DNA sequence: CGGTCTCTTGACGGAGTTCAAAGCTAGTGG
DNA sequence: CCACTAGCTTTGAACTCCGTCAAGAGACCG
């Protein structure tokens, strides 16, 4: 499990084995059950989660009482509610395990201390957030550019493996439409 | 102009005056005319722009040939096409000055060298991107949560000053609908 | 002042939602 | 290992938000 994280870090920065051992002190391993929440609306988001295995999703409850998924995280991705995490304010989001999921957890205070002690990780997180920001920008472009149907077909083409891993109503929720409409689109496009 | 940038940096990290002088060597000041482009579709995004005064906007051309604005940057914000900038790949976006605008420019190579020489800025950019990412996440939430009309009313309430600074058709383009519909909404909500 | 941008108005159409109900699937306990 | 149930997926009809098109009214700039 930890080798996996080390391998991931190595893609961005040079960390000695000794340094890595110290770094791991700041993290904690957690196993989540299916549908277990690590963050609930109204709470302050106290931790950042690095997914080792499984899937996390982030969602909020809209006016009509439905769950609106805004993000998934799979292996080797970070998941947190960044705004609440950095400002330590109450969140409007839930973070939940879609399947049984294994995560590395780093709490806010540990995160600040870790970066203080290991400046090499400033570079790592700078690069991770830079990448995440770029991805969010492209996501916003897609939301503007494509119709709901096109979003689905695009997703189907780009992430066929991912589609197998989550139920359809979550895909619909992520793409911003209803399960009923997803059904209609799927019927129209063969299958 | 440079004091303004120094003041901005001071909000995130401690930089000595000497260090700051060296840092400024990596930047270049540029004055843009109204509607001047600093990035065009198909190019590789070679620079990151820090707005000192004025407004930049980023947009792409959609299938119907219309301009779809995805982002504005005002004083003390960075603007670039992050994906193209970090990967040095061709972009689908334009970056254009809405009004006459003054920017600090840092080219990709200078950026890499700057971070190498001044690790304190790793922390600065880590925090900036972390914040930008959090903002993008909230933006995505809004896009999912609100109807076009609600997006406008929300924007009207949150950014009344900004509305005065850009023409309405750009506001419509940013919010993802047509000028005609904006007109209708405005009529419906008084004045 | 003349022309080109920008903003408004109204009629019509279509993508996508809502609601209700029925069929299907998978997990759970007995 | 089967049966039952809760949750997931499909169907269809009515409705709504918002885009498109076309045309006119202002407004800004040389």
């Amino acid at each position: 499990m930890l080798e996996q994280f080390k391998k991931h870090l190595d893609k961005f920065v040079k960390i000695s084995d000794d340094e890595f051992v110290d770094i791991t002190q700041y993290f904690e391993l957690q196993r989540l059950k299916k549908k277990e929440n690590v963050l609930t609306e109204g709470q302050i988001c106290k931790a950042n989660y690095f997914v080792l295995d499984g899937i996390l999703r982030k969602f909020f409850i809209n006016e009509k009482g439905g769950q609106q998924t805004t993000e998934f995280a799979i292996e080797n991705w970070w998941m947190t509610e960044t705004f609440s995490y950095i400002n330590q304010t109450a969140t409007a989001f839930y973070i939940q395990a879609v399947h049984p999921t294994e995560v590395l957890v780093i709490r806010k205070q540990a995160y600040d201390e870790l970066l203080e002690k290991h400046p090499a990780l400033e570079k790592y997180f700078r690069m991770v957030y830079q990448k995440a920001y770029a991805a969010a920008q492209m996501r916003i472009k897609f939301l503007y550019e494509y119709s709901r149907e096109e979003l689905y077909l695009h997703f189907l083409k780009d992430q066929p493996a991912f589609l197998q891993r989550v139920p359809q109503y979550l895909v619909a929720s992520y793409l911003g439409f209803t399960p009923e409409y997803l059904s209609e689109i799927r019927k129209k496009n063969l299958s």
Side-chain angles (χ1 to χ4, degrees), chain A:
Chain A
M1 284 130 13
L2 288 177
E3 297 105 64
Q4 180 184 338
F5 184 48
K6 176 75 163 70
K7 227 170 137 183
H8 167 76
L9 278 180
D10 283 344
K11 284 187 205 152
F12 296 88
V13 287
K14 291 197 172 153
I15 302 277
S16 72
D17 288 350
D18 285 353
E19 203 176 352
F20 182 69
V21 170
D22 186 63
I23 287 171
T24 58
Q25 307 297 312
Y26 293 83
F27 289 86
E28 153 190 346
L29 181 69
Q30 207 172 325
R31 284 174 218 280
L32 307 171
K33 288 181 217 157
K34 184 175 172 172
K35 301 223 174 181
E36 184 173 346
N37 288 324
V38 292
L39 180 70
T40 301
E41 182 176 1
Q43 292 180 343
I44 289 167
C45 183
K46 295 201 178 61
N48 198 351
Y49 302 88
F50 181 83
V51 179
L52 293 169
D53 188 56
I55 302 183
L56 295 182
R57 79 178 174 111
K58 184 159 64 190
F59 65 92
F60 65 91
I61 307 292
N62 61 29
E63 294 167 354
K64 290 151 206 147
Q67 299 185 355
Q68 177 59 61
T69 302
T70 61
E71 197 184 349
F72 289 108
I74 59 171
E75 301 79 42
N76 297 333
W77 278 93
W78 287 95
M79 169 71 97
T80 192
E81 207 282 76
T82 315
F83 192 86
S84 173
Y85 187 63
I86 63 182
N87 301 313
Q88 292 288 288
T89 53
T91 184
F93 287 91
Y94 297 75
I95 293 176
Q96 186 179 84
V98 176
H99 299 305
T101 298
E102 234 177 58
V103 292
L104 285 178
V105 184
I106 184 156
R107 305 193 168 277
K108 179 63 161 60
Q109 202 187 332
Y111 176 68
D112 292 337
E113 288 168 15
L114 173 68
L115 286 170
E116 196 71 32
K117 187 150 172 212
H118 297 278
L121 291 180
E122 287 286 5
K123 180 177 177 183
Y124 166 72
F125 279 108
R126 192 261 299 166
M127 293 179 89
V128 164
Y129 275 110
Q130 202 173 285
K131 228 175 121 175
Y133 178 60
Q137 293 295 113
M138 293 316 273
R139 175 93 178 283
I140 288 170
K141 175 171 187 276
F142 285 165
L143 287 175
Y144 278 127
E145 189 169 19
Y146 298 122
S147 69
R148 306 294 163 124
E149 179 171 4
E150 287 169 330
L151 280 177
Y152 172 73
L153 295 175
H154 208 275
F155 192 71
L156 182 64
K157 203 175 111 195
D158 270 27
Q159 311 284 342
F162 186 80
L163 269 179
Q164 308 300 318
R165 295 179 61 183
V166 297
Q168 297 201 7
Y169 73 98
L170 286 186
V171 173
S173 169
Y174 175 71
L175 295 176
F177 49 75
T178 59
E180 291 94 327
Y181 188 56
L182 177 53
S183 226
E184 198 178 319
I185 295 171
R186 282 166 51 83
K187 194 170 91 182
K188 196 158 68 178
N189 296 276
L190 322 180
S191 114

